[in-house]
Amino acid sequence: MSDEVLNPAETVIAVNPAQTEPVSRFAVKLRLSISTLFLCLILPSFAVSVLYMYRTNYDIYKRNAAELITTHNVQTSAKLIALLDPIGDSLLTLAKQVRDDPRLFDSNSFHSTMLLQLENNPDLVSIFVASDKGSFHQVQRIRQGMVVANRVPTAEVSYNTWVVDRSKTAQPGSKAGSVAGSSPPKVAAGLGDGQDAASSVFTFYKDRDTVVDTFAVKNNYDPRERPFYKALSSSAGTSANIESDRFIYIGEPYIASSTARPTINVSAPIFLGKTFAGMVGESFELATISDFLKSIQISKNCETYILDTEGNIVVSTGPNNGYKLEKNTLVKQNILEAVGETAELAFQIRHSSSQRQFEFKNPVTSEVYLAQFTPFPNSFRKNWEVLTLAPVSDFLVGLNTINRQLIIYGGLACVLLVLLTYILSRAISRPIETLTEDIRDLLDFNRAKPLVHSNILEIRILSNVVNKLRNTLRAFAAYVPRDLVNDLLRSGNAIELGGESRYLTIMFTDLKDFSTISEVTPSRALLKCVSAYLSLVTYAVKEEQGTVDKFIGDAVMAFWGAPLLDQNHAYHACVTAVKSQRRMLELNKQLVAEGLPALTVRIGIHSDAVLVGNIGSSERMSYTVMGDGVNVAARLEGINKEFATAICISHATFKEAGERLWTRPVDVITVKGRKGEIPIYELVAIRSDDMETMATQREQELCELTHQAFNFYAKKQYREAADLYETIIQVHGDGLSRIMKNRCLQYLSA
């Protein structure tokens, strides 16, 4: 790898000099020109416009109000269908599954499918399936305060299942009706020791895999006797509906026993052949529709009703959603007697004139109202209409005041027009001024601003060019140190070959056994692993104000102290190395969890005086470092393999930052091609309060013991050194100590 270090990077840098243009005042002149033009165009027509607006505003407001109500009414129907369609699609999907596999009528395995549908539609309260044999399976969402079979579920319960299994007769003590995988249900107190096939089995779940409680209640519940089952079987029993795959029935609202809230069932039949075999149903609260209608009201006093052909209110934005509660039972209200004379009058006009959109006056209040009736789409086979009522005054708020102001202040328009035209001209010229500022910021390499939008073609083209230039510079900075790019933009000078000698710190990283990993790992998986590792190291270098020089295969070369001076370059390089090793532990956990190989990184760090600058040719150059110190750093990375270490630093780096590091001496080595011996150290941690880089108690003990052992080794007391290294091996299983022990034994046997 040392030979590759000396090769120039492949970064291409343009050599055309940047020219700095003087700032002009063209924007101010353009604004004045536009202001003058606006005044010449607007003044002659302003007087006529005031009179015209005064006469026509009322008609425009009124017409817009009618159109708004019409649009709102149509959209209300469409949005309601959009609200209900997912429920219908969910029903049809469940019905098809049961039709394709009738065993699901009596199978607890269908609960997971129903739960999935329940989770995907937060408006639903429950989903159930009932067969013509009397079996019943329900998955219900649990909300705070609900009562299920006279029990209040604890706060940890998220949903429950209710099973009535009539597929077979269960003997006392058997598991019939229990949820698959759960314990036999407990029979409610006072109901006997056993259960029959008519018992209701309830299971409370914390999540899909955690059962909180299971119990049985002898209530002899039979879905076939319920109104929703009878209504669906009678409505779906025609030959036409038997052939239809999209028959969906909306039931009548009722008070749910568990939530005590008005609820509606939507159900679909299941035919086996031409025989009605059961149903699937989903329930949601009536408040879902009423809250939706309230959320899309177009004015303060707007009222929305969904009515059937007799004028009965299905749901409304009024109190109780259009129903009256009597003895815990919902009683329909009719619009002719329940909501006041305005809605009653609108309904009477609708049926007497057959008009769907009209204007009328309330004879009592003299308020003018707009009314719109829109048929409800027949997707759910309901002959409903959507009525929207709104007083015209809601849409005319401020209109009279506006008209008066137009007359009173018309005489002052000439004075105000100067200011107005200045504001308008500024709005037009502002994009050009903004682009000028963007270019100035771009040259200063400041933070990018949002793209300037304009309908003027020239401004749009200029904005796009500036944006492309900004992106190009951002991409350029990904290959060249950002500080260097910033200096080039500020100076405007041409890039020239050359450099300077500077004392800095160089770091090399490499992956252990990368060739072996490459042979056994698919290319896509290998690319993912290496990219994650390179990103991790690059981010750590950036955090510590370093410069990534180049990627050499699976190796990273970085340096500190250039282009910006850094008095603590050695310390920052060491912090980067420790961060990289610590973060590799988390990355390896992710890789192993995904079935990818774990990666081991070796790092070498050396501080030395090297040549730094633009190196290469006039056509292709790279901002990099060269010199003997670069080769030493590369050799130190390879030394890790020989001594079973992870981060190897030179004595020069140790002298620069050793008092702030947790290190342990390795040995004194001779670097190939270099005279003299170099003491080297393994970097273990940083002496700081940073949880990410600080040393553990084990690492501190390891450093202290290794220092003691190396002192014996340096004094050639090999027996004492070998014994202490053996102690480190026994306590910490340390690879470096094993190697150093063997060296001591070799010296003793020599």
Side-chain angles (χ1 to χ4, degrees), residues 434-451:
T434 302
L435 286 173
T436 305
E437 295 172 359
D438 284 351
I439 295 174
R440 185 183 298 111
D441 291 340
L442 184 148
L443 293 176
D444 292 337
F445 222 71
N446 293 335
R447 181 182 297 275
K449 295 181 179 179
L451 186 66

Side-chain angles (χ1 to χ4, degrees), residues 49-60 403 406:
S49 299
V50 170
L51 181 60
Y52 176 79
M53 292 174 62
Y54 177 77
R55 292 179 176 178
T56 58
N57 270 347
Y58 180 82
D59 293 335
I60 293 174
N403 285 332
L406 284 173

Side-chain angles (χ1 to χ4, degrees), residues 21-42:
E21 297 290 345
V23 177
S24 69
R25 297 184 179 276
F26 177 75
V28 175
K29 294 180 181 178
L30 177 62
R31 184 179 302 174
L32 291 176
S33 299
I34 294 175
S35 298
T36 303
L37 179 62
F38 271 33
L39 286 172
C40 294
L41 293 175
I42 294 177

